[in-house]
């Protein structure tokens, strides 16, 4: 039962951390990996899914506020990378500074939702995988 609760908690915290809320999922993830090393695949799945869905919530917010984005946000470095490299830029959606803005801008710029979700998920999975590997070394 504790592992199931941990997975749901990991999902919820990683979801909220990927929205515009000032929350980080990394400490919880590392702690759970250290407590339940046998559950690393399930924790990776819960954290990646939650964080990706949270990022897609920000993406949806960007679609909703299209035309209402501040001009300085649309002219940001993140928006320039998104224009230049397209959906693969969302590999960086996990970044603590700018990642949430990148997701919102992807929606605002009408990047394909499935490409946005795919690239976000790959970047977020890679980040959690590195964290899990690091936690295993401690």
């Amino acid at each position: 039962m504790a592992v199931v609760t941990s997975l749901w908690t990991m999902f919820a915290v990683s979801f909220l951390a990927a929205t515009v809320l000032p929350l980080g999922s990394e400490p919880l993830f590392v702690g759970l990996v250290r407590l339940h090393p046998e559950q690393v695949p399930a924790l990776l799945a819960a954290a990646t899914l939650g964080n990706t869905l949270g990022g897609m919530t920000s993406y949806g917010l960007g679609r909703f506020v299209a035309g209402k984005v501040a001009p300085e946000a649309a002219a940001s470095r993140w928006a320039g990378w998104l224009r230049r490299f397209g959906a693969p830029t969302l590999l960086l959606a996990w970044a603590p500074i700018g990642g949430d803005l990148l997701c919102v801008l992807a929606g605002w710029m009408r990047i394909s939702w499935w490409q946005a979700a795919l690239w976000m998920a790959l970047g977020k999975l890679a980040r959690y995988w590195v964290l899990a590997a690091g936690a295993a070394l401690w």
Side-chain angles (χ1 to χ4, degrees):
M1 183 66 170
V3 173
V4 172
T5 302
S6 297
L7 292 174
W8 278 109
T9 301
M10 184 72 257
F11 174 84
V13 169
S14 63
F15 176 88
L16 292 172
T19 64
V20 293
L21 295 176
L23 183 66
S25 61
E26 297 83 359
L28 176 63
F29 180 79
V30 169
L32 289 174
V33 166
R34 297 202 30 97
L35 280 173
H36 304 289
E38 73 285 355
Q39 292 294 320
V40 168
L43 287 165
L44 280 170
T48 301
L49 181 61
N51 215 238
T52 301
L53 290 175
M56 288 305 291
T57 300
S58 296
Y59 171 94
L61 179 65
R63 285 239 170 170
F64 178 74
V65 299
K68 300 176 184 113
V69 173
E72 56 274 4
S76 73
R77 176 180 301 164
W78 294 100
W81 286 345
L82 197 54
R83 275 190 210 92
R84 183 172 180 191
F85 300 110
T89 306
L90 293 168
L91 281 170
L92 300 173
W94 62 267
I97 298 176
D100 294 336
L101 175 60
L102 192 58
C103 295
V104 171
L105 287 171
W108 180 71
M109 295 171 79
R110 303 280 196 229
I111 300 289
S112 164
W113 72 267
W114 69 267
Q115 288 182 358
L118 173 69
W119 290 104
M120 262 187 237
L122 289 173
K124 290 168 184 286
L125 174 62
R127 183 251 328 251
Y128 285 120
W129 185 83
V130 168
L131 287 171
L137 293 176
W138 291 352

